[in-house]
Amino acid sequence: MASNEETTDVTDSTSVNEAGDQTSTVTTPTSDTITESKQNVNTECIQTDKPVSDPGGDTTETNQTENCDSATMETVTFKVIYNKQKYDVTFPIDKTVLELKKHVQTLTGVPSAMQKIMFKGLAKDQSTLKDLKVTNGAKVMVVGSTMNDVLQVTNTPTAKELQEEEKAATSKEPLSLQKQHKKVLDKYGKPDDVLPGVKNTKEQLPHYPLTGMYNKAGGKVRLTFKLELDQLWLGTKERTEKLPMNSIKAVVSEPLSGHEEYHMLALQLGPTEASRYWIYWVPAQYVDAIKDTILGKWQLF
């Protein structure tokens, strides 16, 4: 009598018995098939090796997708121009100007907080490259100063001036009567547009910039406190330096002899006293507020 035994090869979709009938069987994927299917998932994405358990419970090493959005994000290639130097940049078109500034900092050394991105005008930080319609081959201008540039604005002292400063540091003579400062004050005098000063009084910073002051070269100085950005904008006729508050190492001041309602004040922009940026005719009532705001003792909110 004929036997009805069935063949059970799991890799075939059907099997045939001795009587010639076809019966359906379940196909079980092999381990090689599982691995191949895993490796073909989202191959365009950034890959990282992470352990993943297969359906049989075994742990295998396979490529797991990560940051797919970043990998497939549309990019644009353009030129960044800074100080006559050109840089080829490829950047995601949906990224913001602020994110671009951080990348530009790695190329130029200009702190992102001190950059201006120019493309058909001044680009706002929150705008994306797509908003600005930046296309392949476009030219993007960067305006800004490195910290070394800022320090140069302080009129780097000569060896003779450094000797005078060292001598003055050990002297009890008022700063405004010491040779290097007296020469500046005598030469430029009291500014015509100086703000009213009040001695022996402490006031909060006004909601407008402090003006009517000058530096060692006699250049007009304007101080604007951008508290929401944690920056001090140091403005002169030539340019405006956006200084992060934490980049200012110290603030020193002293009343002007004979005009105690005003101070001479220095912003120390580097590690030594030689990097002090001197400002003359600062209204006395704002000096403490300037120091406290820059050094972070209190905020005006």
Side-chain angles (χ1 to χ4, degrees):
M1 187 172 179
S3 171
N4 287 333
E5 288 183 359
E6 297 180 350
T7 59
T8 58
D9 185 356
V10 295
T11 60
D12 293 334
S13 59
T14 60
S15 61
V16 181
N17 60 22
E18 292 182 357
D21 297 329
Q22 292 184 344
T23 59
S24 298
T25 61
V26 178
T27 300
T28 302
T30 64
S31 60
D32 290 340
T33 304
I34 294 173
T35 302
E36 181 179 356
S37 65
K38 288 177 182 176
Q39 291 175 338
N40 288 332
V41 175
N42 292 328
T43 55
E44 295 182 356
C45 300
I46 297 175
Q47 304 288 339
T48 57
D49 289 332
K50 289 186 177 180
V52 178
S53 297
D54 67 17
D58 295 330
T59 299
T60 60
E61 289 290 333
T62 186
N63 288 328
Q64 185 71 9
T65 59
E66 258 192 9
N67 301 324
C68 295
D69 290 342
S70 298
T72 60
M73 187 177 293
E74 182 182 358
T75 61
V76 61
T77 299
F78 52 94
K79 289 189 180 296
V80 168
I81 302 174
Y82 171 71
N83 198 23
K84 298 182 180 180
Q85 296 290 322
K86 296 180 180 179
Y87 305 87
D88 291 319
V89 173
T90 299
F91 210 70
I93 200 167
D94 289 321
K95 293 290 187 180
T96 64
V97 170
L98 182 58
E99 291 171 305
L100 175 61
K101 285 182 176 181
K102 294 177 181 178
H103 179 66
V104 169
Q105 179 176 342
T106 66
L107 301 175
T108 64
V110 179
S112 58
M114 299 172 67
Q115 293 178 30
K116 290 181 182 178
I117 299 294
M118 309 295 293
F119 183 75
K120 299 178 181 179
L122 180 62
K124 297 181 179 179
D125 284 351
Q126 64 270 26
S127 299
T128 64
L129 301 190
K130 181 182 289 186
D131 294 335
L132 298 175
K133 296 181 172 57
V134 177
T135 57
N136 287 322
K139 295 181 179 179
V140 176
M141 302 292 295
V142 177
V143 180
S145 303
T146 64
M147 287 308 299
N148 287 336
D149 293 333
V150 174
L151 292 177
Q152 289 178 5
V153 178
T154 65
N155 302 314
T156 304
T158 63
K160 183 178 179 181
E161 288 175 329
L162 287 173
Q163 290 177 355
E164 290 179 352
E165 286 193 6
E166 184 177 352
K167 181 179 178 181
T170 59
S171 173
K172 295 183 179 180
E173 185 179 28
L175 287 172
S176 59
L177 297 180
Q178 293 173 12
K179 184 177 179 179
Q180 57 171 325
H181 299 299
K182 188 175 186 303
K183 182 170 61 175
V184 174
L185 291 165
D186 289 346
K187 182 177 181 179
Y188 301 109
K190 184 177 181 179
D192 293 334
D193 58 347
V194 68
L195 295 173
V198 182
K199 64 180 179 180
N200 300 325
T201 301
K202 295 181 181 180
E203 294 184 12
Q204 292 186 351
L205 291 173
H207 297 292
Y208 49 82
L210 296 179
T211 58
M213 305 167 290
Y214 55 71
N215 56 26
K216 289 179 69 173
K220 293 289 187 180
V221 173
R222 178 180 64 257
L223 297 180
T224 305
F225 292 86
K226 293 289 185 177
L227 302 182
E228 68 279 7
L229 301 175
D230 198 29
Q231 294 177 358
L232 169 61
W233 290 13
L234 176 61
T236 62
K237 182 179 180 181
E238 293 77 19
R239 57 187 175 182
T240 297
E241 303 293 350
K242 299 181 179 180
L243 304 175
M245 297 290 191
N246 59 13
S247 71
I248 302 174
K249 309 304 180 185
V251 182
V252 297
S253 71
E254 189 175 293
L256 298 177
S257 294
H259 297 277
E260 284 74 16
E261 68 274 23
Y262 295 98
H263 280 221
M264 51 183 292
L265 179 144
L267 306 175
Q268 187 168 319
L269 304 179
T272 67
E273 294 183 4
S275 62
R276 287 179 174 177
Y277 185 96
W278 285 100
I279 304 171
Y280 303 89
W281 298 96
V282 180
Q285 67 270 26
Y286 299 131
V287 169
D288 284 342
I290 291 173
K291 292 180 180 180
D292 291 342
T293 301
I294 291 175
L295 300 178
K297 293 183 179 179
W298 53 281
Q299 297 290 330
L300 303 180
F301 291 112

